[in-house]
Amino acid sequence: MEFTYFLPLISLCITFSCFNLLRRRRRSPTPGPYPFPIIGNIHQLGPKPHQSLTSLSKIHGPLMHLKLGTIHAVIISSPELAREILQRHDQSFPGRMATAATKALRHHLFSVACLPAGSQWRLLRRLCREEMFSPPRLDAGRKLRRRNLQKLLGYVEKCCDDRKSVDVNEAAFVTSLNLISNTLFSVDFADYGEGSSQELKGIVHGLMRVLGSFNVADYFPIVGVFDPQGIERDAGRYMGRLMAVFDGIIDRRKESPEKKDDLLEALLSREKESELSRDDIKHLLLDLFVAGTETTSGTVEWIMTELMRNPCILSKANSELQSILGQNKALLEESDISKLPYLQAVVKETFRLHPPGAFISRQKDGDEAEIGGHVVPGNAVVLVNIWGIGRDSRIWGNPDEFEPERFLNENIVMDVKGQDFELIPFGAGRRICPGQALAHRMVHVMVGALVHNFDWKVENDGMKLNGEEVDVSEKFGLSLQKALPLKAMPIKLYDREGY
Ligand code: HEM
């Protein structure tokens, strides 16, 4: 009696298991290198994981699985699969893995870059879109940014007069920091010379260094409690110092009767309406600095490096600028960018070879999924290797050469706004970089000003280097930087009275 009762249930279970087994058989096992016990494949990452993973993907294919300590990582190396993850299955990959460093001061609970795509994240994205990055908002900050560019040119001119070389990374970093701090709260954050502003520059540099460090606690969360490398502690110190600076700026703003047309003013009005807390505001400001400064300055440094390696391209870019600005106008206006297709092609080509974020990262929402015929584990971290895609010879002719002309070819009408998955330096899908419109303006006007007003010579210990001798080795961190900072001697092209 009991048996007949259970018989239908048992046969249902057997059918279900067979069905599942067959389904699994049809899905081939996810390819990838064999993992060692405990460490998995960590030893295969090396100091330049973007390069090691590109080499591994040539063996294991465009979707491969690695075990990094306790973490399941899935590496994507083709535009088609990048589209699957970032656009088609966007909903199932809602967040990013919070690293131990981002947990300092509970930053990951407030951060637009760390929060999963829920209601708080949507609110922060909407504020960024409406109050900071919309065209009218960006236009409102033009004057302040123009003043920052004049300062950059003044600094480079002084280096010319003193016959001193310019540390292009440092100059671009200070300029980016100020362009962003002015867009956020109408204040200069740093200076090119010595002085008290060096402290702020040091804090932002230090924070980026710790956030980009390899941390064993990220791969073995059980040791995270001990913070063995002190990374969470250091991140907390830098964040705390930056938060204190923000507190000072917010307090002064609240006491001032003058109203400013910037992001902080808009955020404080939301605080009044209790839509945001002071912590929300400070963590958002921190995110915007961290996400926006090094990416922008690093891009400017790579562009200048490639231009100095390729004097013919530098001279073409210069001729185009001259034809639009003439000899008398020193500064490129943001509204001039659309008239400079060659400069835009130079920027795109730099993004292809040197994307500041080598990987776009996502975390699976907890449910196993099937992508490209392979299983992606439920809690996997997915890394789209855009550095590898940018150098893939199946996509690009002469992939290692710097050839901006490829983007002038009418057959390659490609932008960087997240629709052409062969080139996604700003990511794609709903987590695409919210600051791309500001970055687009900053990068073009900085490079435009440096190229239009000066010729450049790269020297090493006083010896002039030929183009091909200019170093292009990379350093992996929070963003992909040049290993050796570019130092170059500027030569004034026109005699003008100041900028
Ligand atoms: C050349 C400059 C820049 C590059 C190449 C760049 C690139 C990126 C990339 C690849 C992402 C990840 C997108 C994704 O996961 O799909 C990102 C996210 C982000 N970027 Fe940018 N970025 C730049 C400048 C900026 C600037 C100037 C700001 C703001 C001032 C900014 C703010 C952010 C923020 C807040 C996020 C996190 C968005 C989220 O998770 O919802 N970025 N950026």
Side-chain angles (χ1 to χ4, degrees):
M1 170 70 187
E2 269 186 1
F3 184 71
T4 34
Y5 179 77
F6 278 114
L7 198 62
L9 200 66
I10 290 169
S11 56
L12 203 75
C13 285
I14 293 174
T15 320
F16 186 69
S17 313
C18 289
F19 175 72
N20 253 350
L21 211 75
L22 278 175
R23 251 187 67 200
R24 283 216 183 126
R25 281 253 169 92
R26 247 184 279 136
R27 293 189 306 201
S28 48
T30 313
Y34 187 77
F36 278 9
I38 303 175
I39 59 166
N41 306 98
I42 289 185
H43 62 292
Q44 285 171 298
L45 293 181
K48 294 177 189 166
H50 56 297
Q51 295 184 11
S52 325
L53 293 175
T54 302
S55 306
L56 282 173
S57 76
K58 288 186 181 143
I59 304 168
H60 301 282
L63 187 151
M64 62 180 176
H65 174 260
L66 271 79
K67 195 84 199 297
L68 303 176
T70 58
I71 291 176
H72 287 282
V74 170
I75 317 299
I76 300 294
S77 312
S78 79
E80 298 76 27
L81 288 169
R83 185 190 293 278
E84 289 283 305
I85 300 281
L86 300 174
Q87 201 177 56
R88 224 163 271 156
H89 296 272
D90 197 15
Q91 300 290 334
S92 341
F93 296 88
R96 299 198 179 90
M97 187 184 101
T99 61
T102 60
K103 291 180 184 159
L105 304 190
R106 300 187 307 135
H107 179 64
H108 65 303
L109 301 180
F110 296 90
S111 154
V112 65
C114 300
L115 282 169
S119 56
Q120 180 65 7
W121 173 82
R122 272 195 295 277
L123 169 70
L124 296 171
R125 291 279 306 204
R126 181 163 55 77
L127 287 175
C128 288
R129 194 174 56 243
E130 290 173 4
E131 306 293 358
M132 187 170 173
F133 301 120
S134 66
R137 280 287 174 197
L138 285 177
D139 287 347
R142 266 184 188 178
K143 258 197 194 153
L144 284 172
R145 291 196 292 275
R146 192 173 200 283
R147 195 174 49 79
N148 287 129
L149 270 190
Q150 282 168 327
K151 278 192 178 175
L152 169 67
L153 290 186
Y155 168 70
V156 177
E157 191 182 44
K158 182 153 186 337
C159 291
C160 275
D161 296 342
D162 298 348
R163 299 192 177 285
K164 260 176 48 188
S165 64
V166 173
D167 181 332
V168 177
N169 179 284
E170 191 60 10
F173 186 79
V174 170
T175 313
S176 308
L177 206 55
N178 286 337
L179 289 172
I180 293 176
S181 64
N182 275 294
T183 311
L184 296 183
F185 34 62
S186 316
V187 168
D188 276 355
F189 229 51
D191 213 332
Y192 299 100
E194 306 295 313
S196 58
S197 63
Q198 297 303 310
E199 196 200 336
L200 279 179
K201 203 165 66 179
I203 299 174
V204 180
H205 262 314
L207 180 57
M208 288 173 185
R209 188 177 37 74
V210 286
L211 288 176
S213 304
F214 175 88
N215 189 354
V216 72
D218 291 333
Y219 303 97
F220 302 97
I222 198 158
V223 301
V225 210
F226 307 108
D227 189 19
Q229 292 158 268
I231 287 182
E232 196 175 334
R233 178 203 59 213
D234 290 349
R237 273 194 202 146
Y238 286 121
M239 283 184 194
R241 288 166 71 188
L242 207 50
M243 296 292 187
V245 174
F246 293 154
D247 270 325
I249 292 174
I250 294 173
D251 289 341
R252 279 195 295 282
R253 179 64 65 88
K254 282 185 165 174
E255 283 158 17
S256 161
E258 194 195 343
K259 288 267 167 275
K260 293 259 165 78
D261 194 8
D262 56 20
L263 179 76
L264 183 60
E265 201 70 47
L267 294 179
L268 289 178
S269 71
R270 308 278 175 148
E271 191 194 17
K272 264 194 202 149
E273 294 159 16
S274 310
E275 208 178 351
L276 288 176
S277 66
R278 183 180 272 224
D279 273 341
D280 290 326
I281 296 177
K282 289 192 296 179
H283 285 275
L284 177 61
L285 294 176
L286 190 140
D287 265 349
L288 295 171
F289 269 112
V290 169
T293 316
E294 206 176 75
T295 42
T296 306
S297 60
T299 301
V300 170
E301 187 185 21
W302 279 118
I303 296 173
M304 294 303 290
T305 303
E306 289 293 358
L307 290 177
M308 286 177 216
R309 275 169 66 80
N310 297 280
C312 288
I313 297 175
L314 174 61
S315 128
K316 271 194 197 173
N318 186 290
S319 306
E320 186 188 57
L321 282 157
Q322 251 214 51
S323 70
I324 299 297
L325 302 182
Q327 293 200 358
N328 296 325
K329 203 172 152 199
L331 279 180
L332 172 64
E333 300 291 340
E334 292 176 2
S335 55
D336 290 327
I337 299 171
S338 60
K339 299 176 209 151
L340 297 161
Y342 194 73
L343 183 65
Q344 291 184 47
V346 166
V347 174
K348 281 184 195 169
E349 181 67 341
T350 308
F351 278 139
R352 180 183 72 78
L353 281 174
H354 311 288
F359 299 109
I360 309 281
S361 99
R362 292 286 184 277
Q363 184 147 30
K364 188 76 190 69
D365 57 3
D367 295 328
E368 197 179 276
E370 195 177 318
I371 302 286
H374 298 297
V375 180
V376 174
N379 53 354
V381 170
V382 178
L383 299 175
V384 178
N385 184 354
I386 59 171
W387 186 91
I389 294 175
R391 291 176 185 241
D392 188 336
S393 57
R394 286 163 300 183
I395 305 171
W396 308 97
N398 300 331
D400 296 324
E401 301 300 317
F402 188 77
E403 292 175 356
E405 283 74 12
R406 70 176 87 233
F407 292 108
L408 298 175
N409 180 341
E410 278 177 19
N411 296 327
I412 309 191
V413 186
M414 199 178 268
D415 68 27
V416 290
K417 294 183 183 154
Q419 293 306 317
D420 299 304
F421 283 77
E422 294 82 0
L423 189 67
I424 46 169
F426 291 100
R430 59 188 167 158
R431 293 205 87 112
I432 192 169
C433 173
Q436 58 171 310
L438 175 62
H440 175 84
R441 293 179 186 215
M442 293 195 294
V443 167
H444 285 87
V445 293
M446 258 194 269
V447 173
L450 293 176
V451 169
H452 177 52
N453 293 286
F454 305 96
D455 195 9
W456 294 87
K457 265 194 307 188
V458 189
E459 291 182 352
N460 191 6
D461 289 336
M463 296 281 289
K464 184 174 181 288
L465 297 183
N466 288 325
E468 66 276 13
E469 291 171 324
V470 179
D471 176 75
V472 280
S473 48
E474 302 162 322
K475 185 173 72 187
F476 187 83
L478 189 59
S479 69
L480 208 55
Q481 297 286 311
K482 239 171 93 34
L484 300 173
L486 175 69
K487 297 205 171 142
M489 195 66 89
I491 301 146
K492 243 190 274 183
L493 287 176
Y494 313 109
D495 248 332
R496 288 198 202 94
E497 283 289 300
Y499 294 99

